[in-house]
Amino acid sequence: MKKYKTNTESRVIISELMLPSHSNFSGKIHGGYILSLMDQIAFACASKHSETYCVTASVDKVDFLKPIEVGELVTLKASVNHVGNTSMVVGVRVEAENIQTGKVKHCNSSYFTMVAKNDKGKSVSIPGLILENKTAIRRFVRSIIRKEDSVTRRNRFKDSEFELESHLEILEQYNVKINL
């Protein structure tokens, strides 16, 4: 019998105070450090949903919308937005709070595709997802559309189908010099 879970059953929220050791030379928190935290929470959320070990298969586009300052409290929220047979898309949202003023800012969001694995490294089936509200349905459908867009983008740039001549006009708009 197939098992199903709601996304609230596997939701994970973590908070961490940003320290000077997390900052770059301009005094802002390293993007790589935030990406590492995002990957950790995506792993925790996916493992909680699948009840097994998970690995990161891909990360959708990450835009750093606002810088995070030393001393801010960063909160990461993760939930399962989409499931397949062995993989799931985990949405991760990053917010930073100025603990003196209480002002919260959205710093970035991204989508991690995670794959459930057994102890031999083989992909395993995961529970289905119960969509309880309009937001859950919207997130599920958006994940499907992102996946379709990704396949289209990947196919558009296959080496075997790339025609240089048809793209030279595009390159004229950019700061490049072609030496073939």
Side-chain angles (χ1 to χ4, degrees), residues 148-165:
E148 290 171 351
D149 289 348
S150 176
V151 170
T152 301
R153 194 170 46 250
R154 190 171 37 250
N155 290 338
R156 182 177 175 203
F157 294 104
K158 283 186 177 175
D159 286 345
S160 61
E161 298 172 15
F162 184 77
E163 295 177 14
L164 177 64
E165 295 75 25

Side-chain angles (χ1 to χ4, degrees), residues 2-93:
K2 179 81 172 161
K3 184 175 183 177
Y4 290 86
K5 289 182 163 184
T6 65
N7 65 5
T8 53
E9 291 178 84
S10 51
R11 187 170 292 148
V12 177
I13 300 172
I14 60 170
S15 294
E16 183 175 327
L17 184 65
M18 293 296 103
L19 303 174
S21 61
H22 303 136
S23 68
N24 58 26
F25 293 111
S26 66
K28 309 297 183 203
I29 302 304
H30 278 290
Y33 184 72
I34 299 302
L35 285 172
S36 174
L37 291 175
M38 293 172 76
D39 189 50
Q40 289 174 42
I41 196 170
F43 166 82
C45 181
S47 295
K48 192 172 177 182
H49 181 82
S50 65
E51 300 171 2
T52 189
Y53 180 78
C54 293
V55 297
T56 306
S58 70
V59 181
D60 198 44
K61 181 178 174 186
V62 179
D63 289 322
F64 292 91
L65 305 173
K66 295 189 173 124
I68 299 172
E69 309 288 337
V70 170
E72 290 185 321
L73 183 65
V74 169
T75 299
L76 296 96
K77 301 173 182 179
S79 64
V80 175
N81 290 353
H82 180 274
V83 296
N85 292 322
T86 62
S87 67
M88 64 214 95
V89 174
V90 175
V92 177
R93 180 180 173 94

